[in-house]
Amino acid sequence: MAPLRRLLLALCLPAMLLPPAVPFPAPSTDWAACRDLSQRLSRLLGTMKESHRVLVSEDMEGECAPHIRCSDACDPSTLDTNSTLCLQRILQGLQHYQARLGSDIFATHPQPELKAVLEELLSLVQVPMRSCRPPPPPQADSWAQPLLQHGTLERLRSFTAVMSRVFTHGASTR
Ligand SMILES: *[C@@H]1O[C@H](CO)[C@@H](O)[C@H](O)[C@H]1NC(C)=O
């Protein structure tokens, strides 16, 4: 047998022995795991003591704003029919907050636990990425850092509340 044929046969034989091709399932989001993680994130955020009650306003509007809006298809009935858009928005938010927690703003108060949970959630949400332009990072002058930390955590808290509801609903219907 010609070496090439032998090689091809050797390569293809295992494939021929497999049962007939089943369409490969696309990786799908593990809703229950996401629900549990987002609830853990909520609890972590809830236990953090913060002394600053002043919110620094940041320009958070724009296509990549890290909050979930009504138009993001995260309501229960849309979620049940097609969760893609909502999961894409959640993915964008998770990436945003992961970047924020890793930025200069948190240099003096790193948040390894929060980062770890965000990291895990990022690995679980399986949806094609929709790119968008993130809001520019705020100037992190050292005097402003505590305020920016606080603002980021406040926003992450409300983002997490919505995300948690989305995953809880999704996990209950899947
Ligand atoms: C779900 O929505 C996404 C984004 O709008 C779209 O690309 C996709 O084709 C939809 N999937 C189904 C099954 O309708």
Side-chain angles (χ1 to χ4, degrees), residues 108-147:
T108 53
H109 289 83
Q111 302 291 336
E113 271 192 291
L114 295 181
K115 277 170 76 178
V117 180
L118 288 180
E119 192 89 33
E120 244 184 293
L121 276 166
L122 274 166
S123 71
L124 285 171
V125 176
Q126 296 290 335
V127 74
M129 188 54 200
R130 189 175 51 157
S131 62
C132 61
R133 214 149 36 92
Q139 290 300 305
D141 296 331
S142 54
W143 64 269
Q145 277 188 11
L147 298 177

Short mmCIF file of all heavy atoms in Angstrom, two decimals, residues 108-147:
data_model
loop_
_atom_site.label_atom_id
_atom_site.label_comp_id
_atom_site.label_asym_id
_atom_site.label_seq_id
_atom_site.Cartn_x
_atom_site.Cartn_y
_atom_site.Cartn_z
N THR A 108 -4.43 49.86 45.16
CA THR A 108 -4.20 49.83 46.60
C THR A 108 -5.15 48.88 47.34
O THR A 108 -4.89 48.51 48.48
CB THR A 108 -4.36 51.24 47.21
OG1 THR A 108 -5.65 51.75 46.80
CG2 THR A 108 -3.27 52.17 46.74
N HIS A 109 -6.26 48.54 46.70
CA HIS A 109 -7.22 47.63 47.33
C HIS A 109 -7.61 46.53 46.36
O HIS A 109 -8.75 46.51 45.88
CB HIS A 109 -8.48 48.38 47.78
CG HIS A 109 -8.26 49.26 48.95
ND1 HIS A 109 -7.73 50.53 48.83
CD2 HIS A 109 -8.45 49.05 50.28
CE1 HIS A 109 -7.64 51.07 50.04
NE2 HIS A 109 -8.06 50.19 50.93
N PRO A 110 -6.70 45.63 46.04
CA PRO A 110 -7.03 44.59 45.06
C PRO A 110 -8.18 43.72 45.57
O PRO A 110 -8.36 43.58 46.78
CB PRO A 110 -5.74 43.79 44.92
CG PRO A 110 -4.84 44.22 46.01
CD PRO A 110 -5.36 45.49 46.61
N GLN A 111 -8.94 43.18 44.64
CA GLN A 111 -10.12 42.39 45.01
C GLN A 111 -10.02 41.00 44.40
O GLN A 111 -10.78 40.66 43.48
CB GLN A 111 -11.39 43.10 44.49
CG GLN A 111 -11.59 44.50 44.99
CD GLN A 111 -11.92 44.53 46.47
OE1 GLN A 111 -12.41 43.55 47.02
NE2 GLN A 111 -11.63 45.64 47.13
N PRO A 112 -9.10 40.19 44.91
CA PRO A 112 -8.87 38.90 44.26
C PRO A 112 -10.10 37.99 44.24
O PRO A 112 -10.32 37.28 43.27
CB PRO A 112 -7.74 38.26 45.10
CG PRO A 112 -7.69 39.04 46.36
CD PRO A 112 -8.22 40.40 46.07
N GLU A 113 -10.93 38.05 45.29
CA GLU A 113 -12.10 37.17 45.32
C GLU A 113 -13.10 37.54 44.25
O GLU A 113 -13.61 36.69 43.52
CB GLU A 113 -12.78 37.25 46.69
CG GLU A 113 -12.26 36.26 47.71
CD GLU A 113 -13.17 36.21 48.91
OE1 GLU A 113 -13.20 37.23 49.65
OE2 GLU A 113 -13.85 35.20 49.10
N LEU A 114 -13.38 38.84 44.16
CA LEU A 114 -14.32 39.29 43.14
C LEU A 114 -13.79 38.95 41.75
O LEU A 114 -14.52 38.49 40.88
CB LEU A 114 -14.52 40.81 43.23
CG LEU A 114 -15.19 41.36 44.49
CD1 LEU A 114 -15.34 42.87 44.39
CD2 LEU A 114 -16.55 40.71 44.69
N LYS A 115 -12.49 39.17 41.56
CA LYS A 115 -11.91 38.89 40.25
C LYS A 115 -12.03 37.42 39.90
O LYS A 115 -12.30 37.06 38.76
CB LYS A 115 -10.44 39.33 40.21
CG LYS A 115 -10.30 40.82 39.91
CD LYS A 115 -8.88 41.31 40.09
CE LYS A 115 -7.96 40.90 38.96
NZ LYS A 115 -6.59 41.45 39.18
N ALA A 116 -11.84 36.58 40.90
CA ALA A 116 -11.89 35.14 40.64
C ALA A 116 -13.30 34.71 40.22
O ALA A 116 -13.47 33.91 39.30
CB ALA A 116 -11.45 34.37 41.88
N VAL A 117 -14.32 35.28 40.87
CA VAL A 117 -15.68 34.91 40.51
C VAL A 117 -16.02 35.43 39.10
O VAL A 117 -16.63 34.73 38.30
CB VAL A 117 -16.70 35.42 41.54
CG1 VAL A 117 -18.10 35.01 41.15
CG2 VAL A 117 -16.38 34.87 42.92
N LEU A 118 -15.59 36.65 38.82
CA LEU A 118 -15.84 37.19 37.48
C LEU A 118 -15.17 36.32 36.42
O LEU A 118 -15.75 36.02 35.38
CB LEU A 118 -15.31 38.62 37.37
CG LEU A 118 -16.08 39.71 38.11
CD1 LEU A 118 -15.43 41.07 37.90
CD2 LEU A 118 -17.53 39.77 37.63
N GLU A 119 -13.97 35.92 36.73
CA GLU A 119 -13.20 35.07 35.82
C GLU A 119 -13.95 33.78 35.51
O GLU A 119 -14.07 33.34 34.37
CB GLU A 119 -11.86 34.73 36.48
CG GLU A 119 -10.81 34.11 35.59
CD GLU A 119 -9.96 35.19 34.92
OE1 GLU A 119 -9.74 36.25 35.54
OE2 GLU A 119 -9.55 34.96 33.80
N GLU A 120 -14.49 33.19 36.57
CA GLU A 120 -15.21 31.92 36.41
C GLU A 120 -16.47 32.12 35.58
O GLU A 120 -16.79 31.32 34.71
CB GLU A 120 -15.58 31.39 37.80
CG GLU A 120 -14.91 30.07 38.14
CD GLU A 120 -15.39 29.53 39.49
OE1 GLU A 120 -15.08 30.18 40.51
OE2 GLU A 120 -16.07 28.51 39.49
N LEU A 121 -17.18 33.21 35.87
CA LEU A 121 -18.39 33.49 35.11
C LEU A 121 -18.05 33.70 33.63
O LEU A 121 -18.75 33.23 32.75
CB LEU A 121 -19.10 34.72 35.67
CG LEU A 121 -20.02 34.48 36.86
CD1 LEU A 121 -20.37 35.80 37.53
CD2 LEU A 121 -21.29 33.76 36.42
N LEU A 122 -16.95 34.42 33.40
CA LEU A 122 -16.55 34.67 32.02
C LEU A 122 -16.30 33.37 31.27
O LEU A 122 -16.55 33.27 30.08
CB LEU A 122 -15.28 35.54 31.99
CG LEU A 122 -15.52 37.04 32.05
CD1 LEU A 122 -14.24 37.79 32.36
CD2 LEU A 122 -16.11 37.54 30.74
N SER A 123 -15.79 32.39 31.98
CA SER A 123 -15.49 31.13 31.30
C SER A 123 -16.76 30.31 31.07
O SER A 123 -16.78 29.40 30.25
CB SER A 123 -14.48 30.33 32.10
OG SER A 123 -15.09 29.83 33.27
N LEU A 124 -17.83 30.64 31.78
CA LEU A 124 -19.05 29.84 31.67
C LEU A 124 -20.04 30.39 30.65
O LEU A 124 -20.85 29.66 30.10
CB LEU A 124 -19.75 29.76 33.03
CG LEU A 124 -19.11 28.83 34.05
CD1 LEU A 124 -19.76 29.02 35.41
CD2 LEU A 124 -19.25 27.38 33.61
N VAL A 125 -20.01 31.70 30.45
CA VAL A 125 -20.97 32.29 29.51
C VAL A 125 -20.50 32.01 28.09
O VAL A 125 -19.47 32.52 27.66
CB VAL A 125 -21.13 33.80 29.77
CG1 VAL A 125 -22.04 34.43 28.74
CG2 VAL A 125 -21.65 34.05 31.17
N GLN A 126 -21.23 31.17 27.42
CA GLN A 126 -20.82 30.75 26.08
C GLN A 126 -21.71 31.41 25.05
O GLN A 126 -22.81 30.97 24.77
CB GLN A 126 -20.95 29.22 25.96
CG GLN A 126 -20.03 28.44 26.87
CD GLN A 126 -18.57 28.56 26.45
OE1 GLN A 126 -18.27 28.82 25.28
NE2 GLN A 126 -17.67 28.39 27.39
N VAL A 127 -21.20 32.46 24.48
CA VAL A 127 -21.97 33.18 23.49
C VAL A 127 -20.97 33.89 22.60
O VAL A 127 -19.91 34.29 23.07
CB VAL A 127 -22.95 34.14 24.21
CG1 VAL A 127 -22.23 35.33 24.78
CG2 VAL A 127 -24.10 34.56 23.34
N PRO A 128 -21.26 34.00 21.30
CA PRO A 128 -20.29 34.70 20.45
C PRO A 128 -20.15 36.14 20.90
O PRO A 128 -21.13 36.79 21.22
CB PRO A 128 -20.91 34.63 19.04
CG PRO A 128 -22.19 33.90 19.16
CD PRO A 128 -22.41 33.50 20.57
N MET A 129 -18.93 36.59 20.96
CA MET A 129 -18.65 37.93 21.46
C MET A 129 -19.19 38.97 20.49
O MET A 129 -19.02 38.86 19.30
CB MET A 129 -17.13 38.09 21.62
CG MET A 129 -16.70 39.37 22.29
SD MET A 129 -17.54 39.55 23.88
CE MET A 129 -17.37 41.30 24.15
N ARG A 130 -19.86 39.97 21.02
CA ARG A 130 -20.25 41.11 20.22
C ARG A 130 -19.35 42.25 20.65
O ARG A 130 -19.38 42.66 21.81
CB ARG A 130 -21.72 41.46 20.47
CG ARG A 130 -22.26 42.50 19.53
CD ARG A 130 -23.74 42.70 19.77
NE ARG A 130 -24.03 42.96 21.19
CZ ARG A 130 -25.10 43.59 21.62
NH1 ARG A 130 -26.00 44.02 20.78
NH2 ARG A 130 -25.32 43.79 22.91
N SER A 131 -18.52 42.73 19.75
CA SER A 131 -17.54 43.71 20.21
C SER A 131 -18.19 45.08 20.33
O SER A 131 -19.16 45.39 19.67
CB SER A 131 -16.35 43.77 19.25
OG SER A 131 -16.80 44.18 18.00
N CYS A 132 -17.64 45.86 21.19
CA CYS A 132 -18.13 47.21 21.37
C CYS A 132 -16.99 48.03 21.94
O CYS A 132 -16.00 47.47 22.40
CB CYS A 132 -19.31 47.24 22.32
SG CYS A 132 -18.90 46.64 23.96
N ARG A 133 -17.14 49.31 21.85
CA ARG A 133 -16.07 50.17 22.37
C ARG A 133 -16.33 50.46 23.85
O ARG A 133 -17.33 51.07 24.19
CB ARG A 133 -16.03 51.47 21.58
CG ARG A 133 -14.65 52.05 21.41
CD ARG A 133 -14.54 52.83 20.08
NE ARG A 133 -15.79 53.54 19.78
CZ ARG A 133 -16.06 54.78 20.14
NH1 ARG A 133 -15.19 55.48 20.81
NH2 ARG A 133 -17.20 55.34 19.78
N PRO A 134 -15.45 49.98 24.72
CA PRO A 134 -15.70 50.21 26.14
C PRO A 134 -15.50 51.67 26.50
O PRO A 134 -14.77 52.39 25.82
CB PRO A 134 -14.64 49.35 26.82
CG PRO A 134 -13.57 49.17 25.82
CD PRO A 134 -14.20 49.30 24.46
N PRO A 135 -16.19 52.13 27.54
CA PRO A 135 -15.97 53.50 27.98
C PRO A 135 -14.51 53.67 28.42
O PRO A 135 -13.91 52.71 28.91
CB PRO A 135 -16.92 53.66 29.17
CG PRO A 135 -17.41 52.30 29.51
CD PRO A 135 -17.12 51.38 28.37
N PRO A 136 -13.94 54.85 28.20
CA PRO A 136 -12.54 55.04 28.57
C PRO A 136 -12.36 54.91 30.07
O PRO A 136 -13.26 55.28 30.83
CB PRO A 136 -12.24 56.47 28.12
CG PRO A 136 -13.56 57.14 28.05
CD PRO A 136 -14.58 56.08 27.75
N PRO A 137 -11.22 54.36 30.48
CA PRO A 137 -10.99 54.26 31.92
C PRO A 137 -10.88 55.65 32.52
O PRO A 137 -10.33 56.56 31.90
CB PRO A 137 -9.66 53.51 32.02
CG PRO A 137 -9.01 53.69 30.69
CD PRO A 137 -10.10 53.90 29.68
N PRO A 138 -11.41 55.85 33.70
CA PRO A 138 -11.31 57.16 34.33
C PRO A 138 -9.88 57.43 34.79
O PRO A 138 -9.11 56.49 34.98
CB PRO A 138 -12.24 57.05 35.52
CG PRO A 138 -12.29 55.60 35.84
CD PRO A 138 -12.07 54.87 34.55
N GLN A 139 -9.55 58.67 34.94
CA GLN A 139 -8.25 59.03 35.48
C GLN A 139 -8.18 58.55 36.92
O GLN A 139 -9.11 58.76 37.70
CB GLN A 139 -8.09 60.56 35.48
CG GLN A 139 -7.94 61.13 34.09
CD GLN A 139 -6.73 60.57 33.36
OE1 GLN A 139 -5.62 60.65 33.88
NE2 GLN A 139 -6.92 59.99 32.19
N ALA A 140 -7.09 57.87 37.23
CA ALA A 140 -7.01 57.32 38.58
C ALA A 140 -6.02 58.08 39.44
O ALA A 140 -5.08 57.52 39.96
CB ALA A 140 -6.65 55.85 38.52
N ASP A 141 -6.23 59.38 39.58
CA ASP A 141 -5.40 60.13 40.53
C ASP A 141 -5.60 59.52 41.90
O ASP A 141 -6.69 59.07 42.22
CB ASP A 141 -5.84 61.60 40.58
CG ASP A 141 -5.63 62.29 39.24
OD1 ASP A 141 -4.70 61.88 38.52
OD2 ASP A 141 -6.43 63.19 38.91
N SER A 142 -4.54 59.53 42.67
CA SER A 142 -4.64 58.77 43.92
C SER A 142 -5.73 59.30 44.84
O SER A 142 -6.37 58.54 45.55
CB SER A 142 -3.30 58.75 44.64
OG SER A 142 -2.85 60.07 44.82
N TRP A 143 -5.99 60.60 44.80
CA TRP A 143 -7.04 61.12 45.67
C TRP A 143 -8.41 60.59 45.25
O TRP A 143 -9.32 60.47 46.07
CB TRP A 143 -7.05 62.65 45.67
CG TRP A 143 -7.38 63.24 44.31
CD1 TRP A 143 -6.49 63.58 43.34
CD2 TRP A 143 -8.68 63.50 43.80
NE1 TRP A 143 -7.17 64.03 42.24
CE2 TRP A 143 -8.51 64.00 42.49
CE3 TRP A 143 -9.98 63.36 44.30
CZ2 TRP A 143 -9.60 64.35 41.68
CZ3 TRP A 143 -11.06 63.72 43.50
CH2 TRP A 143 -10.86 64.21 42.20
N ALA A 144 -8.56 60.27 43.96
CA ALA A 144 -9.87 59.86 43.47
C ALA A 144 -10.09 58.36 43.56
O ALA A 144 -11.20 57.89 43.38
CB ALA A 144 -10.04 60.32 42.02
N GLN A 145 -9.02 57.63 43.86
CA GLN A 145 -9.14 56.17 43.82
C GLN A 145 -10.24 55.59 44.71
O GLN A 145 -11.03 54.76 44.25
CB GLN A 145 -7.80 55.52 44.15
CG GLN A 145 -6.91 55.44 42.93
CD GLN A 145 -5.66 54.63 43.18
OE1 GLN A 145 -5.53 53.97 44.19
NE2 GLN A 145 -4.73 54.70 42.24
N PRO A 146 -10.32 56.01 45.96
CA PRO A 146 -11.38 55.43 46.81
C PRO A 146 -12.77 55.67 46.23
O PRO A 146 -13.64 54.81 46.29
CB PRO A 146 -11.21 56.16 48.14
CG PRO A 146 -9.82 56.68 48.13
CD PRO A 146 -9.46 56.93 46.70
N LEU A 147 -12.96 56.86 45.66
CA LEU A 147 -14.27 57.18 45.09
C LEU A 147 -14.56 56.33 43.86
O LEU A 147 -15.67 55.85 43.66
CB LEU A 147 -14.35 58.66 44.74
CG LEU A 147 -14.19 59.61 45.91
CD1 LEU A 147 -14.20 61.06 45.43
CD2 LEU A 147 -15.31 59.39 46.91
#
